[in-house]
Amino acid sequence: MKRFLFLPLWLILCCYCCICNAQTSLPTNAIKIGKCVVRGKVPAMLAMKSSLTVVCNNFFVSNADIYDLSIDAEGNVSGEIPLHSLYAHAGVVLNVDDTQEKEVVLLSQNDTLRVWVDNQKNLKAEGARCSSVFNCYDWQTFVFDYDRYLPRKESRVIAKFPVKKISGYPSGTTAEDRKILVNKLKIHYYASMLDEMQVRKVIPPISAYAFLSDIVFDDKILYASPGTVELFYFLLLDKSLKIANIGDTPIPEWKEKLRRRLAKIPYKPNELFCDLMAFSNYYFQLVNGEPLTAQQLQNIHTGFSSGEWDKLLLLYHEQEVKTQARSGHFVNCAEKGQPQTLEEILAQHKGKPVIVDFWYGACGPCAVMSKLLYKVLAEEGFENVELLDMTSPSLTRVEDWKYMKGKQGGWHYMLKDAELERIMKQQQAEGFPTLMFYDKSHQLVKIKVGQMSEEELRQSLNIIR
């Protein structure tokens, strides 16, 4: 489903432990386009055996980005990570021989991420300074536990968030921390209620959206706020609110119409809320595979009142244009006349090197790996490599398959369950994603279960191209 596209990759990062070490108050956030510099040290004896990767989840992005760090012969670590917002969560992954260490940090623009590895292969990473509440992953568990506050009875009314029932705050939280956490809980809570009503096909009255006054829309919601994307998704698509699609309408004009519409709730939005709604409208257009029009590109440069939303949209627009350069093809093997086996599929791509990517819909690492594949395959020298991604009905529903792959390039195959099971058993592959690399004569050169770093992927492609 569309609304679940944004969640899995965030959950990838939530499985790590956060180690932000300072006790300063939470900084004010602002959307910007910048970078974080990486510096660090690996023992020289491990330098050539080690690889360091950063998995970065910026604000308002549906997929995480993967960046390989450079390690020279003396063990000096260096790199730069582009950031789409002032702060972003990142998982730092160390691979040495067959072992793997992981740490999660908070990245900040114009800051330096410090990474150390000792002789015992222990990894330590230090990111941006942040509030005491973010010193461990308890806050993430706390926020994602919003479902316990949901009403037990089905209703057409969106119940106000029960603040008085909140318990189990992470240890060491300050009064300011608690305000931020409660706001995050509210965002999750209300988005979940809207989700539930959509599943039950219940259209709430416009007055039900009075809950918007219960949420604080300020810069701090842009800082580590999972759930924000889903909330705006429901607001824009809700049939009772009837918020017009922005199309080519100038942003100030569209925001004025938005204010008049929300006044019927009644709700008086601040400027940041209006900017977020306009940004979300463009963003979901791009997610659905529609690049911005010439008029929209002109509108975004003058229509926003806060942050650098125009630069962020331009970045996503350019990414979508590049993605569409490789046209996609959908093949459901259950349909008459379609290939039934992997061997039959490979025969249709005779004379070309091939990557087969086995994935399923709820697999966060699969989505991360998919994005990396498109990124690397778009580079010069890999144009002749065919990407064949494969799933099956028991792993991914057909409607979700077509939405999630959208207009992505390559060939998208929906195998029969028995065929996918046969292939995985034959190759002794026990996890997802599973990548199979074939050369031009379709000899199997390599199999990889799980995520690959960007450098490892390039090396594998160089072998088969």
Side-chain angles (χ1 to χ4, degrees):
M1 293 179 146
K2 292 181 180 179
R3 59 182 172 274
F4 296 130
L5 178 64
F6 308 98
L7 190 57
L9 289 163
W10 177 267
L11 294 177
I12 297 171
L13 298 181
C14 290
C15 69
Y16 301 137
C17 293
C18 189
I19 60 165
C20 300
N21 62 343
Q23 302 292 318
T24 57
S25 60
L26 185 67
T28 299
N29 198 359
I31 287 294
K32 294 182 179 180
I33 303 293
K35 64 184 179 182
C36 176
V37 176
V38 184
R39 296 289 182 268
K41 188 71 177 178
V42 171
M45 57 183 282
L46 299 176
M48 296 297 102
K49 301 179 181 179
S50 306
S51 69
L52 279 164
T53 303
V54 177
V55 182
C56 178
N57 202 83
N58 280 281
F59 168 74
F60 243 103
V61 290
S62 56
N63 293 313
D65 289 318
I66 301 176
Y67 301 97
D68 290 319
L69 303 181
S70 173
I71 305 175
D72 65 20
E74 283 88 39
N76 298 306
V77 179
S78 62
E80 289 185 355
I81 301 172
L83 294 185
H84 306 162
S85 54
L86 188 56
Y87 294 93
H89 285 277
V92 182
V93 183
L94 167 69
N95 286 288
V96 183
D97 299 324
D98 294 327
T99 63
Q100 188 177 83
E101 293 286 330
K102 305 173 184 175
E103 291 285 1
V104 157
V105 294
L106 186 71
L107 304 182
S108 172
Q109 286 187 16
N110 305 317
D111 202 348
T112 301
L113 169 64
R114 302 287 181 182
V115 181
W116 298 273
V117 178
D118 63 22
N119 292 328
Q120 284 71 48
K121 306 177 185 178
N122 296 313
L123 170 68
K124 181 179 179 183
E126 181 181 291
R129 292 178 172 269
C130 58
S131 171
S132 60
V133 71
F134 301 106
N135 280 351
C136 65
Y137 69 93
D138 290 347
W139 73 272
Q140 294 172 326
T141 303
F142 178 81
V143 173
F144 277 106
D145 202 22
Y146 62 89
D147 58 339
R148 61 181 165 141
Y149 300 107
L150 291 173
R152 296 184 179 180
K153 295 182 180 180
E154 294 183 355
S155 172
R156 288 177 55 85
V157 178
I158 299 178
K160 191 172 182 180
F161 182 80
V163 177
K164 291 184 179 179
K165 293 185 179 180
I166 295 180
S167 60
Y169 282 103
S171 60
T173 56
T174 65
E176 180 67 10
D177 292 334
R178 294 193 175 198
K179 289 180 182 178
I180 296 165
L181 287 173
V182 169
N183 204 50
K184 294 178 188 299
L185 274 175
K186 288 179 179 179
I187 290 171
H188 270 287
Y189 173 81
Y190 291 124
S192 184
M193 289 196 70
L194 290 173
D195 179 19
E196 183 179 304
M197 288 183 170
Q198 187 178 86
V199 170
R200 293 191 285 117
K201 297 183 179 179
V202 172
I203 301 177
I206 192 169
S207 59
Y209 291 88
F211 73 79
L212 289 171
S213 299
D214 196 32
I215 301 175
V216 178
F217 289 101
D218 62 19
D219 285 345
K220 290 175 183 176
I221 73 165
L222 308 184
Y223 171 68
S225 290
T228 309
V229 177
E230 288 88 342
L231 179 62
F232 286 106
Y233 174 81
F234 290 122
L235 294 178
L236 287 167
L237 292 189
D238 190 82
K239 294 181 180 179
S240 59
L241 280 179
K242 297 179 180 177
I243 297 172
N245 182 50
I246 197 166
D248 288 343
T249 306
I251 296 174
E253 180 182 330
W254 184 85
K255 289 196 292 188
E256 187 55 39
K257 291 180 180 178
L258 173 68
R259 291 187 184 96
R260 289 199 298 268
R261 185 63 190 162
L262 296 179
K264 298 180 182 296
I265 295 177
Y267 174 62
K268 187 177 182 180
N270 61 18
E271 196 63 32
L272 176 61
F273 178 88
C274 293
D275 276 346
L276 283 167
M277 288 288 280
F279 175 87
S280 302
N281 208 314
Y282 288 122
Y283 178 74
F284 293 132
Q285 174 182 321
L286 289 165
V287 168
N288 285 323
E290 299 178 31
L292 302 180
T293 66
Q295 184 61 55
Q296 288 175 328
L297 289 170
Q298 182 178 337
N299 290 346
I300 66 173
H301 290 302
T302 57
F304 291 110
S305 305
S306 61
E308 298 183 21
W309 305 102
D310 56 333
K311 292 182 181 179
L312 192 53
L313 284 169
L314 185 60
L315 177 67
Y316 294 154
H317 168 76
E318 291 172 349
Q319 290 174 345
E320 180 59 31
V321 170
K322 289 180 180 178
T323 297
Q324 292 197 11
R326 294 174 70 100
S327 59
H329 310 272
F330 286 85
V331 179
N332 189 336
C333 296
E335 296 176 352
K336 187 177 180 180
Q338 298 297 351
Q340 301 295 304
T341 66
L342 175 61
E343 290 74 18
E344 291 177 7
I345 292 172
L346 289 174
Q348 295 185 341
H349 301 275
K350 188 176 180 180
K352 291 187 176 182
V354 168
I355 303 177
V356 179
D357 172 21
F358 293 98
W359 66 284
Y360 73 95
C363 171
C366 294
V368 174
M369 197 63 235
S370 177
K371 183 172 183 179
L372 182 59
L373 281 167
Y374 288 113
K375 174 185 175 183
V376 174
L377 286 173
E379 296 175 0
E380 186 177 353
F382 299 134
E383 300 90 345
N384 66 325
V385 179
E386 291 275 33
L387 173 60
L388 319 179
D389 64 61
M390 301 184 183
T391 188
S392 74
S394 64
L395 297 175
T396 309
R397 298 192 311 169
V398 174
E399 55 267 36
D400 294 342
W401 168 58
K402 290 186 175 180
Y403 170 74
M404 294 176 75
K405 289 304 175 179
K407 294 184 179 180
Q408 288 183 347
W411 290 77
H412 314 299
Y413 289 91
M414 176 65 73
L415 299 176
K416 292 182 178 179
D417 289 325
E419 174 61 10
L420 189 141
E421 184 178 348
R422 178 189 74 85
I423 298 168
M424 300 295 280
K425 185 176 181 180
Q426 182 184 70
Q427 302 300 336
Q428 298 181 334
E430 299 180 353
F432 295 90
T434 291
L435 299 175
M436 297 167 59
F437 296 82
Y438 293 86
D439 61 19
K440 292 179 180 179
S441 60
H442 290 173
Q443 295 297 311
L444 183 58
V445 175
K446 179 177 181 177
I447 296 177
K448 170 70 175 183
V449 179
Q451 288 181 229
M452 304 175 72
S453 69
E454 190 169 330
E455 184 57 35
E456 184 183 1
L457 177 57
R458 286 198 185 91
Q459 291 174 356
S460 301
L461 288 170
N462 283 325
I463 295 173
I464 65 171
R465 67 173 181 170

